[in-house]
Amino acid sequence: MDKKIVLKLAFMLIAFQFYGQSFRAVEILNGEGVIYGEVLWIDSQNDSIKEAVISGASDNYDHYASLVNNTEGDLSVDSINQLEGVSLSSLDKADFDGDGYMDIIMTGYNGVENVVNLYTNNTDGSYTKTLTNMIGTTNGRIRSADFNNDNLADVIITGVDTTGTYSARIYLQNAQGDFVIKANTLMENYFGDITILDGDNDGDIDVLLTGFDLNYAPNAKYYLNDGTGVFTENVNAGFSGAYFTGSSVADYDNDGDEDVLITGFNSSFSAETFLYENDGNGVFTKLTTMPFEDLYFGTADFVDTDLDGDYEVFISGQDASSTSKSFLYRNNNGVYTLDQAISDTIMGLSISSTSWEDYDKDSDLDLIYSGFDTTSTRQIRVYVNELYEPTYEYVSIESTANGNLVLFPNPCNGEFTIKLEESVLDNATYVVYDLSGKVVLSDNLNSSEQKILLPKVDAGVYIVQSVVNGKTYIQKVTVK
């Protein structure tokens, strides 16, 4: 059914009400807390509604994995579409088969052996499992990126492999959908992290590995990509060794390059939270005056919780006394200060995992979060960001309420696809606005499914307006 909407932001955009930032805990019905695993938001049906994936060791160290349904904001474990339980696990998402829908890849121990399971999205909220030929690991990480610039999702895996050896392997996906090991000499490790970044600003995906290496010491190595998936260590990158790490990448000081945040045990086996500033050429300097609490065995997140274009810092993990903690720090032009109220609201967890996306379609970022609390109880938590709520006034712009305009992937890295139900387009156009009402990009739509590449823009929320066959459709897209 058609309805008429005006989106007031100077002229025709979403008008937000500012509520003052707070977070509210919501329950996942039948959700099980986990440690030694990961959590992830995922838009399984390209409808901008975020479901979730959970994996890890649940009570009694059971091997656990589940999908979480999102029904108008109510979260519940999917009892129909089952995933194989794995512990000591890691997971990621990517469009592995190129159909425009996010798939899931997961590694861990299933009670019998280490596995790497690829769950292909069936576009209806269900997934088909394929046991891949990749070597599964425990106590490591699995991440996906296009390492050789062929528009196919590749995979990097670290951790303890099936022979009990520390490992680090890159698999390049070929046109047949097979994953082939790419010869590289990478730092084998476990209890570390994989940081995907373009530290030298050359357009290729580089990799930072942290973890406990074959010399049984905390280590960190930064590898530059030649564009074909061949990596060479940059020995002058400036990173200090660390394990039990969490990491994140963002341009925290808005100078046009990617900086790195890391929590973990340093080479003195002490907890430390590191912020490394990039000089723009892939050389990093550890900043020693930051106010961050020193944590390990947890997470490190750059996240724009208040949508002001600056990245806050959220960290979780254990402190020097092995107490589970969490902290949120506000960013004011690169200067960080503790937000005590939110830090007190969000439960301190360690052996933890976090994922931040807009699960309730109000444009701000919400948190799903797992780990051990201060009583060594496994937790799975969702915290709803109550910064913004959209308001609508009924006037003159025609739009439809049945999802005729779909944007995916969403969030994106600046490239997304507009998908329309109409097969015949007559004078179809689109316009992308930022939240100030400035036009970022506009052009004609030539097909019912068209890729859009934004110019270099800041992370945040953008509004996409499409006029097709005399009707106007409006959706938001988030740029990470």
Side-chain angles (χ1 to χ4, degrees), residues 365-442:
L365 300 178
D366 309 299
L367 171 64
I368 186 169
Y369 183 32
S370 66
F372 255 161
D373 67 15
T374 54
T375 67
S376 297
T377 300
R378 292 162 174 81
Q379 297 284 347
I380 181 68
R381 292 267 167 164
V382 171
Y383 289 93
V384 178
N385 188 344
E386 298 191 308
L387 175 66
Y388 288 113
E389 293 293 340
T391 63
Y392 303 96
E393 296 181 13
Y394 295 92
V395 204
S396 61
I397 298 177
E398 290 188 356
S399 183
T400 57
N402 59 0
N404 285 16
L405 172 63
V406 175
L407 310 178
F408 65 88
N410 193 5
C412 68
N413 291 318
E415 182 176 344
F416 63 94
T417 295
I418 292 178
K419 184 177 181 180
L420 298 158
E421 291 183 0
E422 285 84 348
S423 59
V424 178
L425 306 184
D426 182 19
N427 296 321
T429 62
Y430 71 90
V431 184
V432 181
Y433 301 96
D434 66 18
L435 290 184
S436 71
K438 178 183 177 182
V439 174
V440 174
L441 184 67
S442 62

Side-chain angles (χ1 to χ4, degrees), residues 209-436:
L209 298 181
T210 53
F212 208 58
D213 69 12
L214 290 175
N215 295 316
Y216 305 105
N219 206 342
K221 292 185 182 292
Y222 174 47
Y223 296 93
L224 298 175
N225 187 354
D226 71 353
T228 69
V230 174
F231 290 85
T232 303
E233 183 186 356
N234 178 0
V235 296
N236 298 313
F239 291 104
S240 300
Y243 81 115
F244 288 146
T245 44
S247 66
S248 186
V249 173
D251 182 9
Y252 94 95
D253 50 2
N254 290 315
D255 64 352
D257 52 42
E258 293 182 323
D259 310 299
V260 178
L261 177 71
I262 302 174
T263 59
F265 256 169
N266 61 23
S267 57
S268 300
F269 298 93
S270 299
E272 188 171 355
T273 299
F274 323 70
L275 177 54
Y276 289 94
E277 186 174 86
N278 190 349
D279 71 352
N281 298 305
V283 177
F284 295 82
T285 301
K286 184 193 294 186
L287 303 182
T288 59
T289 59
M290 290 293 170
F292 307 136
E293 186 82 8
D294 290 326
L295 299 179
Y296 73 102
F297 225 160
T299 63
D301 298 325
F302 280 123
V303 56
D304 187 5
T305 60
D306 54 8
L307 300 181
D308 65 350
D310 294 325
Y311 288 94
E312 282 72 58
V313 161
F314 178 80
I315 55 175
S316 67
Q318 294 182 7
D319 64 10
S321 62
S322 299
T323 301
S324 297
K325 298 284 186 68
S326 70
F327 300 92
L328 181 77
Y329 296 87
R330 294 282 174 207
N331 183 352
N332 183 13
N333 295 320
V335 177
Y336 284 97
T337 55
L338 176 66
D339 188 319
Q340 189 66 60
I342 292 179
S343 299
D344 290 342
T345 298
I346 299 178
M347 178 181 287
L349 299 179
S350 60
I351 320 179
S352 46
S353 174
T354 56
S355 180
W356 296 83
E357 291 194 28
D358 176 19
Y359 106 93
D360 54 357
K361 298 183 71 172
D362 66 352
S363 298
D364 49 35
L365 300 178
D366 309 299
L367 171 64
I368 186 169
Y369 183 32
S370 66
F372 255 161
D373 67 15
T374 54
T375 67
S376 297
T377 300
R378 292 162 174 81
Q379 297 284 347
I380 181 68
R381 292 267 167 164
V382 171
Y383 289 93
V384 178
N385 188 344
E386 298 191 308
L387 175 66
Y388 288 113
E389 293 293 340
T391 63
Y392 303 96
E393 296 181 13
Y394 295 92
V395 204
S396 61
I397 298 177
E398 290 188 356
S399 183
T400 57
N402 59 0
N404 285 16
L405 172 63
V406 175
L407 310 178
F408 65 88
N410 193 5
C412 68
N413 291 318
E415 182 176 344
F416 63 94
T417 295
I418 292 178
K419 184 177 181 180
L420 298 158
E421 291 183 0
E422 285 84 348
S423 59
V424 178
L425 306 184
D426 182 19
N427 296 321
T429 62
Y430 71 90
V431 184
V432 181
Y433 301 96
D434 66 18
L435 290 184
S436 71

Side-chain angles (χ1 to χ4, degrees), residues 12 33 55 61 63-64 69 77 130 133 151 159 166 185 235 245 250 263 290 325 351 376 388-389 394 417:
M12 292 194 315
S55 75
Y61 286 88
H63 316 294
Y64 180 81
N69 293 327
V77 169
T130 301
N133 63 343
N151 296 315
Y166 303 171
T185 302
V235 296
T245 44
T263 59
M290 290 293 170
K325 298 284 186 68
I351 320 179
S376 297
Y388 288 113
E389 293 293 340
Y394 295 92
T417 295

